[in-house]
């Protein structure tokens, strides 16, 4: 690294990051041993961090734990990581490139909620609108989210759903849907092929947070006549790349292997 790093700040950061792996309280000796630093060096750093509110000392055993200042900073970071704010420029770029409608949804209580929708130049009159809820079993965004849940959660969600039929193409059999979800998980994106609305085809990909949990999905919707196999391949790649970009901006570390 070309920039000159300040050793004392690096060591202070090392102390704070110890609590990522050791969530219990740590003594000066614990920190000294784990970081390979002298007790006198650790003591000086800890006292400075304590003074600034980044560490707190337990007066009973004299060990240290993370302080409230980090909680305040964490809350500020979480506000900065606003999904809609992060995704908006990516969605706009996607619409400019694909010339189709793009949606962003979040997952809540077994349904998806549309929080962003940007129409392409050939806007569609479709069911989606910001604030509207939609089922997870027959929408591209819903299936993209459902497929990346834990197996037990998929079972729970499906057991609490009647898999209502919206068109003749809606998957209403739970076992068939579970096989379909395995394919989605394998390829990294989902397709709604007239499952919620006749004549409409959607391609969607999941969005992950910094814990690696699927929290949202992004999709491109177009009339089926404009979504042949060649176009579908192009759109699916762009949607996945957009989902990866949003996920990484939300703190997700691992890039999905599909892209």
């Amino acid at each position: 690294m070309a920039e000159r790093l300040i050793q004392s700040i690096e060591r202070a950061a090392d102390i704070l990051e110890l609590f990522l792996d050791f969530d219990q309280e740590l003594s000066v000796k614990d920190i000294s041993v784990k970081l390979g630093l002298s007790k006198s060096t650790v003591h000086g750093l800890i006292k400075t961090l304590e003074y600034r509110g980044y560490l707190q000392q337990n007066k009973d055993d004299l060990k240290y734990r993370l302080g409230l200042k980090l909680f305040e900073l964490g809350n500020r970071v979480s506000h900065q990581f606003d999904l809609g704010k992060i995704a908006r420029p990516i969605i706009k770029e996607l619409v400019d490139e694909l010339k189709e409608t793009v949606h962003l949804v979040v997952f809540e209580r077994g349904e998806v909620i549309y929080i962003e929708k940007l129409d392409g130049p050939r806007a569609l009159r479709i069911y989606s609108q910001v604030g509207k809820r939609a089922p997870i079993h027959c929408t591209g965004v819903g299936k993209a989210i459902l497929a990346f849940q834990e197996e037990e959660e998929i079972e729970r969600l499906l057991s609490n759903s009647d898999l209502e039929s919206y068109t003749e193409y809606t998957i209403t059999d739970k076992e068939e849907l579970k096989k379909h979800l395995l394919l989605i998980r394998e390829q990294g994106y989902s397709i709604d092929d007239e499952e919620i609305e006749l004549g409409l085809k959607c391609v969607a990909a999941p969005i992950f947070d910094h814990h690696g949990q699927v929290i949202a999905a992004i999709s491109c919707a177009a009339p089926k006549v404009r979504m042949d196999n060649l176009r579908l391949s192009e759109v699916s790649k762009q949607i996945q790349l957009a989902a990866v970009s949003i996920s990484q901006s939300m703190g997700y570390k691992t890039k999905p292997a599909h892209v």
Side-chain angles (χ1 to χ4, degrees), residues 2-228:
E3 295 87 353
R4 178 175 173 271
L5 300 180
I6 300 174
Q7 188 181 60
S8 59
I9 295 178
E10 279 203 285
R11 287 175 171 176
D14 287 340
I15 290 172
L16 295 176
E17 289 174 9
L18 275 179
F19 290 89
L20 293 174
D21 298 317
F22 304 94
D23 57 2
Q24 73 272 26
E25 296 177 339
L26 296 172
S27 67
V28 172
K29 181 181 178 181
D30 293 331
I31 296 170
S32 173
V33 170
K34 293 180 189 304
L35 295 182
L37 298 173
S38 68
K39 286 186 180 179
S40 60
T41 297
V42 168
H43 185 268
L45 291 166
I46 283 177
K47 284 303 176 184
T48 303
L49 290 169
E50 182 185 16
Y51 175 75
R52 296 301 297 266
Y54 294 103
L55 289 177
Q56 289 181 334
Q57 187 180 47
N58 183 330
K59 300 305 180 185
D60 293 330
D61 58 16
L62 302 182
K63 291 185 177 183
Y64 291 86
R65 57 179 177 267
L66 295 178
L68 290 176
K69 181 61 70 175
L70 289 169
F71 179 76
E72 293 174 24
L73 290 174
N75 276 341
R76 181 61 59 88
V77 170
S78 68
H79 288 311
Q80 292 173 349
F81 279 88
D82 177 78
L83 177 60
K85 184 178 179 181
I86 287 170
R88 214 162 286 130
I90 297 171
I91 290 174
K92 186 180 185 307
E93 184 177 337
L94 203 55
V95 170
D96 290 342
E97 186 170 346
L98 297 177
K99 311 299 182 188
E100 301 289 1
T101 299
V102 174
H103 300 106
L104 177 68
V105 308
V106 293
F107 181 57
E108 182 179 278
R109 290 182 293 177
E111 295 179 306
V112 295
I113 304 174
Y114 292 89
I115 63 170
E116 292 285 341
K117 177 185 177 183
L118 188 57
D119 289 322
R122 298 173 288 183
L124 299 171
R125 288 191 175 185
I126 54 178
Y127 62 93
S128 61
Q129 61 185 44
V130 173
K132 185 173 182 178
R133 290 178 176 267
I136 56 173
H137 71 286
C138 60
T139 55
V141 283
K143 292 189 295 179
I145 291 173
L146 183 59
F148 287 87
Q149 300 290 330
E150 296 291 337
E151 191 172 328
E152 297 79 7
E153 182 64 5
I154 292 175
E155 289 287 350
R156 187 190 71 79
L157 289 167
L158 293 184
S159 66
N160 292 332
S161 172
D162 58 5
L163 301 187
E164 181 182 349
S165 178
Y166 289 83
T167 75
E168 60 187 291
Y169 303 106
T170 305
I171 301 174
T172 57
D173 179 82
K174 291 182 181 178
E175 293 306 313
E176 182 183 352
L177 181 57
K178 283 193 279 188
K179 291 179 183 178
H180 185 60
L181 295 176
L182 288 175
L183 175 62
I184 293 169
R185 195 179 185 104
E186 181 180 326
Q187 65 190 14
Y189 64 92
S190 65
I191 298 173
D192 160 17
D193 193 357
E194 299 186 280
E195 293 168 50
I196 194 168
E197 186 173 328
L198 291 174
L200 181 69
K201 199 162 187 174
C202 295
V203 184
I207 294 169
F208 301 88
D209 67 8
H210 63 290
H211 294 298
Q213 300 294 316
V214 60
I215 55 167
I218 188 171
S219 73
C220 173
K224 187 170 182 176
V225 294
R226 292 208 298 264
M227 195 77 82
D228 59 19

